[in-house]
């Protein structure tokens, strides 16, 4: 398959009303991440990151899997056969798009429809939010074939889970389903598979209502402050808010206050201000 598979087909996407629906598209290989898929995913993220018609990116999987992790044949065996240069190249391609996802300009949602193994935890963590199907199955199968969860995966589970859960998944390779993943807080929510897309779209639409400049600063802040002392975080957040104010040419925060205090047209405690009118006020 590796010889004949077209790189462009390994990831597909459509853009619909502000949402980019991106899919791992190797269903016959349970969406295992091959070097071709990794290169294609980076190209797709490149294309989507600054498109004005894209406000949220959803990452789903075609077929029965979200992703069966790294492709054991094409990512491990075949690149190892090319020596250290081959290994490092394929690592940089996969780690590269996981990192790109973590700091992506737009908010991202993992929509986990089925199998999610090993290396799949990289993009799972890379996405800001994660909604899964109850029927999905998550596992760190690395231990079952003789490696440790590398490529950042051990760091992912230690960051997201209590130590006992991280250790359990790592040492036993046991599967958990969507409901267990949600209870463990590996994902935000679990819903029946037949509601997965609709629920994901609801969440994406909720994000589309918010100020897009603020979303980017806010999501980066959540990822950054974990490693800071309180004082460092306090200072960082002051600077980030100031940078956010600079980048938000709509002056959204002032409009948000105006629509609440002067106009009384919405309540910030209950939803977002009408950002289309902020943009119009700035243009006018
Ligand atoms: N790497 C390479 N090929 C894979 C992978 C993978 N990770 N996962 C599935 N495939 C291939 C199979 O070899 C098979 O190929 P073939 O049709 O050419 O024989 C095809 O996808 C379908 O796989 P099946 O095993 O027949 O599918 P099934 O639905 O019965 O099982 C399951 C799905 C449970 C996901 C199984 O394929 C599996 O255990 N895959 C490996 C999961 C894994 O351990 N991934 C690596 C994690 S560690 C890491 O990412 C670093």
């Amino acid at each position: 398959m590796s010889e004949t598979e077209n790189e462009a087909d390994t990831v597909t996407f459509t853009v619909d009303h502000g949402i980019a629906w991106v899919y791992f598209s190797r269903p016959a290989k349970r969406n295992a991440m091959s070097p071709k898929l990794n290169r294609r995913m980076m190209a797709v993220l490149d294309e989507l990151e600054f498109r004005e018609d894209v406000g949220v990116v959803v990452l789903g999987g075609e077929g029965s899997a979200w992703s069966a992790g790294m492709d054991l044949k094409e990512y491990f065996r075949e690149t190892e056969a090319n020596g250290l240069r081959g290994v490092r190249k394929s690592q940089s391609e996969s780690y590269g798009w996981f990192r790109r996802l973590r700091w992506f300009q737009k908010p991202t949602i993992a929509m986990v429809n089925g199998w999610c193994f090993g290396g799949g935890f990289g993009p799972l963590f890379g996405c800001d939010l994660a909604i899964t199907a109850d029927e999905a199955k998550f596992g760190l199968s690395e231990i079952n074939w003789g490696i440790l969860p590398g490529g950042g995966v051990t760091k992912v589970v230690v960051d997201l889970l209590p130590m006992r859960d991280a250790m359990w998944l790592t040492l036993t390779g046991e599967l958990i389903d969507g409901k267990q993943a949600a209870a463990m807080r590996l994902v935000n929510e679990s819903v029946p598979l037949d509601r997965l897309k609709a629920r994901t779209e609801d969440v994406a639409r909720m994000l589309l209502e918010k100020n897009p400049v603020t979303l980017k600063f806010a999501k980066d802040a959540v990822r950054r402050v974990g490693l800071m002392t309180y004082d460092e975080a306090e200072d960082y957040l002051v600077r980030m808010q100031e940078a956010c104010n600079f980048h938000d040419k709509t002056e959204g925060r002032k409009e948000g206050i105006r629509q609440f205090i002067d106009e009384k047209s919405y309540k910030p405690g209950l939803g977002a201000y009408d950002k289309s009118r902020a943009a119009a006020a700035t243009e006018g």
Side-chain angles (χ1 to χ4, degrees):
M1 189 166 190
S2 58
E3 296 79 26
T4 54
E5 189 177 39
N6 187 353
E7 188 166 310
D9 298 334
T10 59
V11 176
T12 54
F13 70 92
T14 54
V15 175
D16 185 23
H17 293 87
I19 304 172
W21 300 92
V22 179
Y23 287 90
F24 293 111
S25 294
R26 303 181 73 217
K29 296 290 183 185
R30 304 301 181 260
N31 298 324
M33 291 179 277
S34 61
K36 282 182 182 171
L37 181 144
N38 291 328
R39 286 194 289 273
R40 169 68 176 153
M41 190 65 87
M42 183 64 112
V44 167
L45 294 178
D46 264 338
E47 175 169 346
L48 295 174
E49 189 155 25
F50 289 99
R51 264 177 67 160
E52 293 207 348
D53 59 344
V54 174
V56 176
V57 169
V58 174
L59 182 55
E62 296 281 6
S64 62
W66 191 64
S67 174
M70 308 320 292
D71 188 307
L72 299 198
K73 177 170 171 281
E74 296 182 37
Y75 181 85
F76 285 106
R77 191 162 67 190
E78 290 176 1
T79 56
E80 248 180 78
N82 293 329
L84 188 60
R85 179 191 296 266
V87 171
R88 290 287 179 266
K89 180 172 185 295
S90 58
Q91 285 170 338
S92 72
E93 287 168 349
S94 59
Y95 302 171
W97 79 262
F98 300 169
R99 186 180 311 113
R100 186 69 175 277
L101 201 55
R102 290 199 297 280
W103 302 104
F104 203 67
Q105 188 68 26
K106 316 283 168 67
T108 52
I109 306 174
M111 179 175 73
V112 185
N113 49 300
W115 303 112
C116 176
F117 280 109
F121 281 51
L124 180 70
F125 179 69
C127 289
D128 303 317
L129 301 174
I131 317 284
T132 186
D134 297 342
E135 294 87 339
K137 293 274 193 288
F138 299 77
L140 297 186
S141 55
E142 284 89 338
I143 198 72
N144 291 336
W145 63 280
I147 70 163
L148 58 77
V153 171
T154 297
K155 174 70 174 156
V156 166
V157 289
V158 166
D159 273 8
L160 290 180
L161 306 177
M163 193 274 256
R164 292 293 181 207
D165 290 331
M167 194 67 92
W168 188 272
L169 294 180
T170 301
L171 298 187
T172 69
E174 269 192 5
L175 295 173
I176 56 171
D177 64 20
K179 284 184 179 166
Q180 290 170 296
M184 230 179 237
R185 309 313 295 147
L186 184 61
V187 298
N188 294 98
E189 282 183 21
S190 183
V191 297
L193 182 59
D194 61 6
R195 288 190 39 226
L196 179 63
K197 188 161 187 208
R199 177 60 187 149
T200 305
E201 183 164 354
D202 286 348
V203 175
R205 300 238 163 271
M206 184 161 57
L207 297 176
L208 285 173
E209 287 171 10
K210 315 292 186 199
N211 181 320
V213 177
T214 316
L215 280 173
K216 167 64 173 155
F217 279 91
K219 62 177 248 176
D220 286 4
V222 170
R223 288 189 188 268
R224 291 273 187 221
V225 296
L227 292 175
M228 296 179 189
T229 64
Y230 192 95
D231 282 349
E232 286 166 348
E234 192 178 74
D235 189 50
Y236 166 85
L237 292 169
V238 167
R239 307 298 154 213
M240 282 303 107
Q241 183 59 56
E242 288 166 358
C244 182
N245 295 348
F246 173 78
H247 281 285
D248 180 14
K249 302 305 179 198
T250 71
E251 301 245 49
R253 69 199 185 284
K254 293 184 182 170
E255 179 65 11
I257 293 174
R258 192 188 68 77
Q259 289 179 17
F260 176 50
I261 299 293
D262 304 332
E263 208 175 83
K264 300 194 185 301
S265 55
Y266 86 115
K267 293 179 193 293
L270 305 179
Y273 71 94
D274 179 355
K275 65 184 164 110
S276 68
R277 291 194 295 128
T282 311
E283 282 155 18

